[in-house]
Amino acid sequence: MKSLVPISLLLLTLLLSACSDEEVIKHDYLFTGEGQYWEAEYIYEGTEIWGEENNRTTYSHEKKDTFVLTFKGSLDEMQSIKNLDYSYQTSAGGSSVSREFDQRPNDISFRTSGGGTGAKINKDETIPVIVKWNGSEESFELINKAD
């Protein structure tokens, strides 16, 4: 009797997966770029799910993304920064962050993460980045170097 339970579960799993008309498409992209003082990367993990329900095509999209901005100088040089504003924009949205440092920064990298549902980005996008700090400004673009 004990040997029938695993076999039954296996058969049920195979039957359920055979009935599914869903197609899952994964998108994993790494966009990178740099300016004179700053460099950044944008990591995008998206999943498209296409299906069929009541003779209609269904679609959903989920994503996780992470933006990492890194100062190209030393931590000692970073100590003079009192405020930092940075932003990036993709076709599916973007982010803008503003930081004021009451104490000296203890890291040269800054991370912003998000996720949810909605539009997906394209692998061939160019993502503009703007960084402002202590009255200085730098702009550069992130591109996906992978095919």
Side-chain angles (χ1 to χ4, degrees):
M1 184 70 175
K2 287 184 180 183
S3 64
L4 289 178
V5 173
I7 293 172
S8 297
L9 287 174
L10 177 63
L11 290 174
L12 180 61
T13 302
L14 290 173
L15 179 63
L16 289 175
S17 64
C19 294
S20 175
D21 288 336
E22 285 188 351
E23 178 183 4
V24 177
I25 303 169
K26 297 273 190 185
H27 302 283
D28 295 324
Y29 307 137
L30 173 62
F31 295 83
T32 60
E34 65 182 292
Q36 183 177 353
Y37 300 99
W38 298 90
E39 61 188 6
E41 64 181 18
Y42 178 73
I43 304 155
Y44 175 85
E45 299 171 358
T47 304
E48 290 181 275
I49 303 170
W50 294 86
E52 187 79 25
E53 188 175 306
N54 298 327
N55 293 324
R56 292 190 173 191
T57 301
T58 61
Y59 174 82
S60 66
H61 179 264
E62 296 178 1
K63 71 169 186 153
K64 287 190 330 184
D65 61 352
T66 302
F67 178 82
V68 180
L69 178 70
T70 303
F71 183 61
K72 292 170 71 173
S74 69
L75 183 57
D76 286 340
E77 292 171 300
M78 185 75 193
Q79 301 299 308
S80 67
I81 295 179
K82 302 289 183 219
N83 54 42
L84 174 65
D85 298 316
Y86 60 91
S87 62
Y88 66 92
Q89 187 66 41
T90 72
S91 63
S95 183
S96 180
V97 175
S98 185
R99 303 247 340 239
E100 290 203 24
F101 300 102
D102 296 334
Q103 300 176 358
R104 294 178 170 179
N106 58 5
D107 200 350
I108 62 171
S109 291
F110 303 91
R111 179 180 299 266
T112 305
S113 296
T117 61
K120 72 177 188 73
I121 67 168
N122 297 311
K123 69 179 179 181
D124 58 353
E125 282 193 39
T126 300
I127 301 172
V129 176
I130 300 171
V131 184
K132 298 177 183 178
W133 72 103
N134 293 354
S136 297
E137 182 174 330
E138 180 168 77
S139 299
F140 54 93
E141 296 178 333
L142 307 182
I143 59 170
N144 182 7
K145 294 183 180 177
D147 200 47

